[in-house]
Amino acid sequence: MTQPTTPPFVPQIRLYQNWLREQRGLSFDSYDDLWRWSTTDLDAFWQSIWDYGDLRSPTPHSVVCDGAPMPRTKWFVGAQYNYAQQVLRHVGAADAAGLSAIISHNEKSLGTAPARHLSWPELRRQVASLALHLQAQGVQPGDRVAAYLPNIPEAAVAFLATVSIGGVWSICAPDMGTHAVLDRFRQIEPKVLFACDGVTYGGRDFDRTAVVAELCAALPSVRHVILHDNLGLDTSAIKKIATCADFTGATARNDAQTNAFEPMWLSFDHPLWIVYSSGTTGLPKPIVHGHGGTVIVAQALKGLHNDVGCSYDANSLGERYHWYSSTGWVMWNAQISGLLSGTTCCIFDGNPGGSTVDAAGNKVAPDWTTLWRFAAELGVTFFGAGAAFFANCLKAGVDLATCGDLSSVRALGTTGSPLSAEAQRWGTEQFARLAGTEAQKDIWWCNISGGTDFAGAFIGGNRELPQVAGEMQCRLLGCAVEAWNEQGQPVIDEVGELVCSQPIPSMPLYFWGDEGNQRYLSSYFDMYPGVWRHGDWLKVGRHGGCIIYGRSDATINRHGLRMGTSELYSAVEALPEVLDSMVVDLEYLGRESYMPLFVVLREGVTLDDTVRSRINEAIKTALSPRFVPNEIFQVAEIPRTLSGKKQELPIKKLLLGQPLEKVVNREAMANPGCLEWYVALARSRQSGASE
């Protein structure tokens, strides 16, 4: 297989601007001018992305955008599309260049066995075989196909096979419990279920056969199960409940029909997949995205802004794209989207902190070199992960010089939460010391902020703009993002509500089962009808750089000064004693503000007067004395969602007296066991208030 050679010489966004000048006669003096054109002439901009990406339809579109207000906007009316068609068009050229489609490792194989390589022709053959199998089971366009699979090549094959025949895909990670999965899959009534017997995480094997049996029994719509043998466990209990096929057998076909198979053409807005909101309260929202809108937005985001190139193109030859994720996070979808541009995807299944138990089963500290060693072995060129991963590397004192040959890495990507300036500086300094290439002397950070909601990003990177640690470089092309003040006016250099005032093609088609679009409208358009309100605090700088300050519904309004939570976390978590933190402001209906701070401290450190003083001084210095907390509590864990977000709002509601079952869904949490401590604190506060 071809190994990466040199990093891209010309940034993808520069190639696009060259094309605009040569093919459209359009040139712009600055990125801001380009962005304003892209958000005011929507038809011209999105048509340029279609043409530049050479997207194809057997029928022409009559209009790019029909002009209807959000959320009723229609795109590329009359065009036909299929996500899998876009992926499989790269098979011949990528294979001729000797490139793999997917390279993968898991916790057990890393360091002990070679990585798995799935070639482009083999990807196509397996997708065709599995698609024909699904059709034989009666799957029709519009039928839902659910999956309970980890981040392995089989999940990508199952996804592409499903959508190639018009099925609607939905996946949950096998670290999710029965109730959390049923809360999602019951709403969409899948006809087929992909599942695995178990998973490995943190050095432990987890048997999931009982969960899969429960899912089968509780989902009467499921007529067929396709089982992947991941751990070699006994699956007889599942086979008694539903008609089953073996994944290996379902993908083994290799005959004239598989050779002739082509993904079917579908309407541009045919449902592609169903993803879910975090499910913090109530049932998770089943968000439906379309084939065409998802692909064209991925072309702009991943190509132009993330600077991820086609692996067989001379300018980006050997590109290997990795963004760590579980299948329960939309970044899995973002990772798989690399295949859309003929890019080799490098995927890792397991704990990014490696094994957390020794051979005897005793708990040990995480190994935050795991993903870096994975990247070194595979020659990863674009390395992405959640912001918390880089913060953990900083805290653990990871030395990248000990992790193998990282000379191929030319870009670092982050999302999930704001990346602190300290963590960014740590990574920049580490690569400057390695400096195997020119690109590593000042490594480029592609910090993005977007969401599951629209399978994309609003704010992100640009290889040609200056970098400022702790900031994202720009608002993305085609995304009319602004920060609005309380009067609904756009502001610069001030914190405001993040809104998007113009539609983009990947905004949800609808929520599954949402009568009259009521849940959809209330989720994004309740405050500003016709304008998307995202629920984040945003500051747009006068030079275009952007900072996200956390969720706007978990904001601190302390003594008249409004602030998102991320600034406080940056100050507190920069202290070596503090591993994690969470703050909530209990100002409510005119009551005096009470702001507790919860901290997880390094092992062996106790919250004494000295540590309290250091925390308070850090907050005073970085922010203002106004933001010194009323109390500081040492806790074992900060409650987080399955995608790693701090659960500020549920804890805020809990401490304001709302019952636990009304404010949080335990099944949507990564660590529900930590809630009892917060429940006890809420009880003590309420009993004290009533005395």
Side-chain angles (χ1 to χ4, degrees), residues 602-657:
R602 188 179 294 280
E603 188 174 351
V605 177
T606 303
L607 183 63
D608 56 18
D609 288 344
T610 301
V611 175
R612 278 193 184 88
S613 177
R614 281 176 54 76
I615 291 171
N616 286 335
E617 285 301 316
I619 293 170
K620 287 179 186 177
T621 302
L623 305 175
S624 158
R626 300 190 199 193
F627 294 104
V628 170
N630 295 85
E631 287 188 82
I632 305 175
F633 296 94
Q634 182 174 357
V635 297
E637 292 182 90
I638 298 302
R640 291 182 179 271
T641 66
L642 288 168
S643 60
K645 295 186 186 300
K646 300 181 187 188
Q647 295 203 293
E648 299 158 323
L649 189 60
I651 297 303
K652 177 177 179 176
K653 290 178 177 178
L654 180 68
L655 295 177
L656 287 170

Side-chain angles (χ1 to χ4, degrees), residues 367-418:
D367 176 7
W368 294 107
T369 70
T370 300
L371 283 185
W372 296 110
R373 289 185 286 108
F374 162 82
E377 180 184 331
L378 269 59
V380 165
T381 55
F382 185 105
F383 180 96
F389 169 79
F390 294 98
N392 282 319
C393 291
L394 163 66
K395 293 285 185 182
V398 168
D399 180 1
L400 295 187
T402 68
C403 298
D405 181 5
L406 291 167
S407 61
S408 294
V409 177
R410 61 176 185 83
L412 302 173
T414 71
T415 191
S417 57

Side-chain angles (χ1 to χ4, degrees), residues 518-539:
Q518 290 307 303
R519 293 182 80 192
Y520 186 7
L521 291 167
S522 65
S523 295
Y524 311 112
F525 301 102
D526 57 345
M527 183 174 287
Y528 310 112
V531 173
W532 177 287
R533 172 181 172 262
H534 197 56
D536 281 341
W537 287 126
L538 165 69
K539 180 168 76 174

Side-chain angles (χ1 to χ4, degrees), residues 201-214:
Y201 192 86
R204 292 187 175 96
D205 286 346
F206 294 90
D207 185 338
R208 283 293 182 253
T209 56
V211 176
V212 175
E214 289 181 68

Side-chain angles (χ1 to χ4, degrees), residues 384-535:
F389 169 79
F390 294 98
N392 282 319
C393 291
L394 163 66
K395 293 285 185 182
V398 168
D399 180 1
L400 295 187
T402 68
C403 298
D405 181 5
L406 291 167
S407 61
S408 294
V409 177
R410 61 176 185 83
L412 302 173
T414 71
T415 191
S417 57
L419 178 71
S420 70
E422 291 78 15
Q424 183 164 338
R425 281 193 285 267
W426 168 84
T428 300
E429 290 165 4
Q430 288 280 322
F431 274 96
R433 283 202 292 271
L434 299 177
T437 64
E438 195 67 29
Q440 292 182 337
K441 292 179 180 177
D442 184 19
I443 195 81
W444 178 60
W445 288 85
C446 180
N447 304 326
I448 68 172
S449 180
T452 302
D453 316 74
F454 61 99
F458 281 142
I459 301 164
N462 180 331
R463 280 290 295 258
E464 298 193 319
L465 292 178
Q467 296 191 94
V468 177
E471 284 190 13
M472 286 165 278
Q473 289 174 293
C474 61
R475 293 172 282 184
L476 299 197
L477 296 176
C479 300
V481 168
E482 295 174 323
W484 280 14
N485 63 17
E486 292 175 357
Q487 289 73 46
Q489 300 166 328
V491 292
I492 298 294
D493 274 341
E494 293 180 30
V495 177
E497 284 277 359
L498 191 165
V499 303
C500 188
S501 59
Q502 296 287 350
I504 63 172
S506 66
M507 284 176 175
L509 302 175
Y510 45 83
F511 292 172
W512 195 269
D514 181 18
E515 294 286 335
N517 269 355
Q518 290 307 303
R519 293 182 80 192
Y520 186 7
L521 291 167
S522 65
S523 295
Y524 311 112
F525 301 102
D526 57 345
M527 183 174 287
Y528 310 112
V531 173
W532 177 287
R533 172 181 172 262
H534 197 56

